[in-house]
Amino acid sequence: MLPLNNVTNTVESSKQLGIGKVVRYCVICGDKSSGFHYGVLSCEACKGFFRRGHNSEFKCKYMTPCVITMENRNDCKACRLKKCREVGMNKQPQSLQPAKVPIDPIQQDKLEFEWISQQIRRLYSSNYDYSSDRMRLMTIKDLQLENNTKTLQHFINEINSDITSFVLFLKSVPLLDDMTPEDKSILMKRHAFSIYVVRSAPAYTENGFLCMNGGRIAWQKFYDVYGELGIKMNAFATEIREMNFTESEIGVFVMLIMLQPIPVEDVVQTGFQNVSLLTETHTRFSKILNYQLTTRDPENRLFDKIQGLIEEVNTINNLHKQSIKLIETNITSFSVPPLFADVFGFLDAVLDDQTVE
Amino acid sequence: MLPLNNVTNTVESSKQLGIGKVVRYCVICGDKSSGFHYGVLSCEACKGFFRRGHNSEFKCKYMTPCVITMENRNDCKACRLKKCREVGMNKQPQSLQPAKVPIDPIQQDKLEFEWISQQIRRLYSSNYDYSSDRMRLMTIKDLQLENNTKTLQHFINEINSDITSFVLFLKSVPLLDDMTPEDKSILMKRHAFSIYVVRSAPAYTENGFLCMNGGRIAWQKFYDVYGELGIKMNAFATEIREMNFTESEIGVFVMLIMLQPIPVEDVVQTGFQNVSLLTETHTRFSKILNYQLTTRDPENRLFDKIQGLIEEVNTINNLHKQSIKLIETNITSFSVPPLFADVFGFLDAVLDDQTVE
DNA sequence: CAAGGTCAACATGACCTC
DNA sequence: CGAGGTCATGTTGACCTT
Ligand SMILES: [Zn+2]
Ligand SMILES: [Zn+2]
Ligand SMILES: [Zn+2]
Ligand SMILES: [Zn+2]
C-alpha cells in the first residue's frame, strides 16, 4: 500500500484547497493535460490522436498488453486507442454525450509524481557526465600523475565541470521555478561537495577513480590527496551505488541534500531570502523520492535509508570545507576556474584568464 | 538441421545457374534488395536509413535485443542501426572502402522464403473471411433453417463468397505471375471444394458451422444436407485445425492442393497449357511450406503430414463432385450465383439476374 | 553499379479559432 | 471550456541523378 493512497493528504487535495496552480495530467499517457477532451482529462496529443483515429482499427503487435506512457505513446496505436476507449473517451455527435469522467485525485497525484520524475530524469541525464549512457561509451585510460598537485588539479577540473553541469540542471529543474537564482546559488554552494560526491559515485571503481573523460586515477593517488576524507568518500559512494538509484532518483536525492533546512545564522550571513519556499520545496521533493523508491521496490523500505545517507554526506561536506584550505593556501600552484573559486569561497586572486580545459 | 542448409540445392544456387530472375534480399530487414549499399546487400529503406543516421546515437528501449524485420524495422532505430553496422555497413569516404560483404546463398534462400511467406500472409489474410482478426469481431447468431433447401442455399452463398475472395488472392499470389489466368482458373475449379473445405476449417465449432457473417448452422442441419460427406468434412477440418497453421501456411497449403499434377486426359479435356510451369511452381510452394513448418516447429515433422491431408481432401473433393448433382437437378429451387455455377460446371440455365447477397 | 539527393506521403502535437 | 482545424516538424522510402 503506497503512502499516496491517503486521500486527505494528496497534492491533488491541497490543490482543491486552493494551494498552488492547478495542474492536471492526461489519464491516458500521463502528460500534462489541457482539460477535458471527448469526456476525459487528456493531453493535446491524446486528444489529437483520438480525433484522428477514433474509428480506426489497429492491431497490437506485442505479446503483453502495452502500458501507455508519455514516452511510448506512439509505439502502439492499438493499445493507445484501446486505452482512450477504456478511460471513457467517446465521440458522440452532441446528443447523448455521456458525463465527463470525474477526476481521480489519487490517480492525479500518482501521475504528477511520475511526470515530475520523468522531467527530472531527462534533465538530469542530459546534464550528467556519469549517466549510464555516457559511462558505456567511456574509454578508460590510466592517468600518470607525478605528484599530489597534479592529482588535485584533476579533481579541481572534475568538480568544476560537474558543478557546471549541475548548475544547468538547477536552472530548469521542476518545482524550483519560484526560487531566485541567488537563493539557488546559496544552497548549491553550501552543499557543493556533497553534490559532487553523490554525482560522482559511479566513478569509484575497483581499479581507481574514473574521471569524466575516462581518465583513471589510481586509488593510491586518490588517497594521497584526500587521506581520511577519501576513505569516507569511497565508502559513501559504495553505499550510494548499492541503492541502485535511477537517474531520476539521484536527481531528487541531490535536491534533498541541497534543500536541507538552513540554520538561522546562515540565513543572515548568506542573505538567503525565501525560507518558507525552501521548506515547502524540500517537502515536495521528499514526497517524490518516497514515491519513487516505494514504487520501485515496495518490499525494502529504501526511503528510510535516505536520512542516514544525507547525514553521512553532510559530514563529508563539512570535512571537505576544512581540507579545501589546502588549495587556498597554495592557490598559485593550481589553475582554479572562476566557478570553482566562487563556489568554494576563494575570494581573492583568481586570474581572469584561467581556463578550464 | 534445416533442409535449406544443403548448399547444392538452394534456390540461390539455381539462380547462379541462370534459372529465373535474380532477386536478392536485404540482409538487415529481409525486404527486397536494390543492390549493394555501403558495402552490404540491402533495401532502399535500410540504405536511406543508414545514409541519414549512420552517425546518430539511438537507444533501444526494449529489454531483449530487437530482431529486425521488414515489418518492425521502424520500431527500434537503435537496433536497426546496430544491425546495419553488424552486417558490415560502412560509410568510408572513398579511400579505405572495405570489400563488399559477400552474398550468403543460404541466408538469401531463407530470406526469400520469409519474404514470400510474408507476402502470402498479407494477401491471404486480406482475402479471407475466417482470418483470426475477423473471427474475433464476429457476432454469432444461430440460424433458423426450415428445410434442407434453405441450408443448402446458405452453403451455396458461403462457397461462392469464399471462392470470390480466393480468386482475388490468386490474382496476385507470388510465384504465380507467369501462369495465365485461364490455367489458374482450370486448376482452381478442379479443387474448388477442397479449397473451400480447407479455408472454412475454422468454421467447424462445437456448436455448429459458422458462416462468414457469424450465422451458425446447427450440426444436425449440416449433416441433413451433407450426410456422410459432412462427417468427412468435419473430421478433416479438425485435423486442419490441429495443425495450428498460420495464415501464411494455409495460403501455401491451399496452393499445394491446387497445384497438384493434372492427369494427361484432364490436360487435354480442359485445355490446360503450361504443365511444366505447374510442376515447377508446385515444387517451389512445397519447399516454402516445408521451410515454414520446419522453422515453426523443428521437433515434429509437420510437413510429413501434408501429403496425407492432401489425399484426404482430394477424396472429399471427389465425393462432392458427385453430390453436387443434387443441386444441378433441382437447380430451379436455388439461387445460384454465376461464379458458383461456372466453378461447379452448371453449364445450363443460370439466370443473368441472379445475385449474391 | 551505387552514392547521394529529392520529395510525396504520413503521423504527430502545439497552437489557434469559434 | 472544448471541439475541431491548422500546420510546422520530423521520418520514411520510392525514385531520380550523377
Ligand atoms: Zn496523453
Ligand atoms: Zn500494444
Ligand atoms: Zn532493409
Ligand atoms: Zn531495440
Side-chain angles (χ1 to χ4, degrees):
Chain A
M1 188 76 35
L2 299 180
L4 301 176
N5 289 345
N6 180 353
V7 179
T8 61
N9 195 23
T10 58
V11 176
E12 178 65 24
S13 64
S14 28
K15 276 178 200 150
Q16 289 168 341
L17 295 169
I19 306 164
K21 288 166 293 182
V22 183
V23 185
R24 308 251 191 238
Y25 298 88
C26 173
V27 299
I28 294 142
C29 74
D31 203 350
K32 283 206 169 166
S33 160
S34 56
F36 282 84
H37 305 293
Y38 309 108
V40 170
L41 209 48
S42 48
C43 67
E44 282 297 300
C46 291
K47 163 193 160 191
F49 175 74
F50 191 73
R51 172 161 41 76
R52 288 191 300 271
H54 62 99
N55 45 15
S56 313
E57 275 186 34
F58 304 117
K59 190 162 156 33
C60 173
K61 55 174 165 252
Y62 300 99
M63 297 297 123
T64 54
C66 307
V67 178
I68 307 299
T69 69
M70 203 185 331
E71 286 156 300
N72 73 10
R73 65 189 174 202
N74 289 322
D75 292 350
C76 183
K77 294 179 205 289
C79 293
R80 189 184 192 181
L81 184 56
K82 196 152 93 68
K83 179 106 182 250
C84 285
R85 288 176 178 144
E86 280 167 3
V87 298
M89 272 195 170
N90 67 86
K91 217 160 178 297
Q92 308 298 354
Q94 219 130 338
S95 42
L96 204 127
Q97 185 91 332
K100 286 177 185 178
V101 175
I103 294 172
D104 175 345
I106 294 166
Q107 181 190 39
Q108 285 295 308
D109 268 4
K110 242 189 92 162
L111 292 175
E112 168 152 83
F113 284 135
E114 272 159 16
W115 191 85
I116 293 171
S117 299
Q118 128 94 358
Q119 291 299 108
I120 289 177
R121 186 174 58 68
R122 287 164 62 115
L123 193 61
Y124 194 84
S125 299
S126 63
N127 294 292
Y128 185 42
D129 283 293
Y130 291 111
S131 71
S132 53
D133 283 0
R134 293 185 205 189
M135 291 285 279
R136 250 192 301 279
L137 304 173
M138 214 178 251
T139 319
I140 296 172
K141 188 173 174 303
D142 283 305
L143 297 178
Q144 306 304 326
L145 300 165
E146 295 110 48
N147 53 50
N148 287 355
T149 306
K150 294 254 179 188
T151 309
L152 201 43
Q153 182 63 54
H154 262 282
F155 277 102
I156 291 171
N157 297 344
E158 290 290 304
I159 293 171
N160 188 73
S161 169
D162 186 57
I163 291 178
T164 306
S165 299
F166 183 69
V167 166
L168 285 175
F169 167 76
L170 263 193
K171 217 170 253 178
S172 343
V173 69
L175 307 185
L176 226 57
D177 320 315
D178 296 337
M179 190 175 287
T180 63
E182 291 74 22
D183 276 3
K184 283 186 189 178
S185 176
I186 290 166
L187 296 175
M188 189 273 283
K189 286 179 189 173
R190 286 173 61 77
H191 300 284
F193 196 69
S194 290
I195 292 165
Y196 175 65
V197 175
V198 172
R199 284 165 61 89
S200 62
Y204 294 71
T205 69
E206 199 179 343
N207 299 310
F209 182 95
L210 281 186
C211 295
M212 294 166 189
N213 61 7
R216 184 161 56 190
I217 297 173
W219 284 124
Q220 195 48 59
K221 302 284 177 188
F222 178 86
Y223 290 127
D224 286 350
V225 167
Y226 279 109
E228 284 290 318
L229 177 58
I231 293 171
K232 287 189 201 296
M233 285 161 67
N234 199 340
F236 177 74
T238 303
E239 286 181 79
I240 292 290
R241 287 201 312 281
E242 281 168 355
M243 291 289 284
N244 275 317
F245 281 134
T246 66
E247 258 146 57
S248 179
E249 289 161 3
I250 307 183
V252 180
F253 179 62
V254 171
M255 293 311 295
L256 282 188
I257 292 171
M258 203 184 90
L259 295 171
Q260 288 176 86
I262 172 169
V264 188
E265 60 269 27
D266 288 2
V267 171
V268 176
Q269 191 212 314
T270 58
F272 188 81
Q273 298 292 317
N274 199 332
V275 174
S276 68
L277 178 61
L278 173 64
T279 314
E280 193 206 314
T281 320
H282 180 268
T283 307
R284 299 191 68 184
F285 276 106
S286 187
K287 280 184 183 171
I288 291 171
L289 189 58
N290 192 356
Y291 173 80
Q292 292 178 318
L293 296 177
T294 314
T295 307
R296 169 156 70 86
D297 184 352
E299 304 297 311
N300 302 300
R301 304 188 53 82
L302 295 177
F303 186 69
D304 291 353
K305 300 184 185 166
I306 296 298
Q307 194 49 44
L309 288 171
I310 291 181
E311 279 159 22
E312 198 174 338
V313 79
N314 283 343
T315 306
I316 291 172
N317 194 55
N318 289 332
L319 288 171
H320 177 260
K321 277 190 178 151
Q322 297 156 26
S323 69
I324 191 77
K325 300 191 198 303
L326 176 69
I327 300 179
E328 197 167 14
T329 52
N330 296 318
I331 188 98
T332 50
S333 313
F334 299 104
S335 159
V336 180
L339 177 65
F340 186 96
D342 182 30
V343 166
F344 291 104
F346 301 171
L347 304 170
D348 43 20
V350 175
L351 302 174
D352 276 3
D353 58 335
Q354 284 180 345
T355 55
V356 197
E357 281 180 64
Chain B
M1 186 77 33
L2 300 178
L4 301 176
N5 288 344
N6 180 353
V7 179
T8 60
N9 196 22
T10 58
V11 176
E12 178 66 22
S13 65
S14 27
K15 278 179 198 150
Q16 289 167 345
L17 295 170
I19 306 163
K21 288 168 294 184
V22 183
V23 185
R24 308 254 192 236
Y25 298 88
C26 173
V27 298
I28 294 141
C29 74
D31 203 349
K32 282 205 169 168
S33 160
S34 57
F36 281 85
H37 306 293
Y38 309 108
V40 169
L41 209 48
S42 48
C43 67
E44 282 297 299
C46 291
K47 162 193 158 189
F49 175 74
F50 190 73
R51 171 161 42 77
R52 288 191 301 271
H54 62 97
N55 44 16
S56 312
E57 275 185 33
F58 303 116
K59 190 161 156 33
C60 173
K61 55 175 164 254
Y62 300 99
M63 297 296 122
T64 53
C66 307
V67 178
I68 306 299
T69 68
M70 205 186 327
E71 284 155 302
N72 73 9
R73 65 188 174 204
N74 289 322
D75 292 350
C76 183
K77 294 179 206 287
C79 293
R80 188 184 193 180
L81 183 57
K82 196 152 93 67
K83 178 106 182 251
C84 285
R85 288 176 178 143
E86 280 167 4
V87 299
M89 271 195 170
N90 68 86
K91 220 161 173 295
Q92 309 296 354
Q94 218 129 343
S95 41
L96 205 127
Q97 184 93 332
K100 286 177 184 176
V101 175
I103 294 171
D104 175 346
I106 294 166
Q107 181 191 39
Q108 285 295 308
D109 268 4
K110 241 188 91 162
L111 292 175
E112 168 152 83
F113 283 134
E114 273 159 15
W115 191 86
I116 292 172
S117 299
Q118 127 96 357
Q119 293 298 108
I120 289 178
R121 186 175 57 68
R122 288 164 62 116
L123 192 60
Y124 194 84
S125 298
S126 63
N127 294 292
Y128 184 42
D129 283 290
Y130 291 112
S131 71
S132 53
D133 283 359
R134 293 184 204 191
M135 290 286 279
R136 249 191 301 279
L137 304 173
M138 215 177 251
T139 319
I140 296 172
K141 188 172 173 305
D142 283 304
L143 296 178
Q144 306 304 327
L145 301 164
E146 295 110 48
N147 53 49
N148 286 354
T149 305
K150 293 252 178 187
T151 308
L152 201 44
Q153 182 64 52
H154 262 282
F155 276 103
I156 291 172
N157 296 345
E158 290 289 304
I159 294 171
N160 188 73
S161 171
D162 186 59
I163 291 180
T164 307
S165 299
F166 183 69
V167 166
L168 285 174
F169 167 76
L170 263 193
K171 218 171 250 177
S172 342
V173 70
L175 306 185
L176 226 58
D177 320 314
D178 297 336
M179 189 176 287
T180 63
E182 291 74 20
D183 276 2
K184 283 185 190 180
S185 175
I186 291 166
L187 297 175
M188 190 273 281
K189 288 179 189 174
R190 286 173 60 77
H191 300 284
F193 196 70
S194 291
I195 292 167
Y196 175 66
V197 175
V198 172
R199 284 166 61 91
S200 63
Y204 294 71
T205 70
E206 200 178 343
N207 299 309
F209 181 95
L210 282 185
C211 295
M212 295 167 189
N213 61 5
R216 186 161 55 188
I217 299 173
W219 284 124
Q220 195 49 57
K221 302 285 177 186
F222 178 87
Y223 291 128
D224 285 350
V225 167
Y226 279 111
E228 284 290 319
L229 176 58
I231 294 172
K232 287 190 200 295
M233 285 160 68
N234 200 340
F236 177 74
T238 303
E239 286 180 80
I240 291 290
R241 287 201 313 282
E242 281 169 355
M243 291 290 284
N244 276 317
F245 281 134
T246 66
E247 257 146 57
S248 179
E249 288 161 3
I250 306 184
V252 180
F253 179 62
V254 171
M255 292 312 295
L256 283 188
I257 292 170
M258 201 185 91
L259 296 170
Q260 290 175 84
I262 171 169
V264 188
E265 60 269 26
D266 288 3
V267 171
V268 175
Q269 190 212 315
T270 59
F272 188 82
Q273 296 293 316
N274 199 333
V275 175
S276 68
L277 178 62
L278 173 64
T279 314
E280 192 205 317
T281 318
H282 180 268
T283 307
R284 297 191 68 184
F285 277 105
S286 186
K287 281 185 181 169
I288 290 171
L289 188 58
N290 191 356
Y291 173 81
Q292 291 177 319
L293 296 177
T294 314
T295 307
R296 168 156 69 86
D297 184 351
E299 304 297 310
N300 302 300
R301 304 188 55 80
L302 296 177
F303 186 71
D304 291 353
K305 300 183 185 166
I306 295 299
Q307 194 48 44
L309 288 171
I310 291 181
E311 278 159 22
E312 197 174 338
V313 80
N314 283 344
T315 305
I316 292 172
N317 193 57
N318 289 333
L319 288 172
H320 178 261
K321 278 190 178 151
Q322 296 155 25
S323 69
I324 191 78
K325 298 189 199 305
L326 177 69
I327 300 180
E328 199 168 12
T329 52
N330 295 319
I331 188 99
T332 50
S333 315
F334 300 103
S335 158
V336 180
L339 177 66
F340 185 97
D342 182 30
V343 165
F344 292 103
F346 301 171
L347 303 170
D348 42 22
V350 175
L351 301 175
D352 276 3
D353 59 336
Q354 285 181 342
T355 54
V356 197
E357 281 179 64

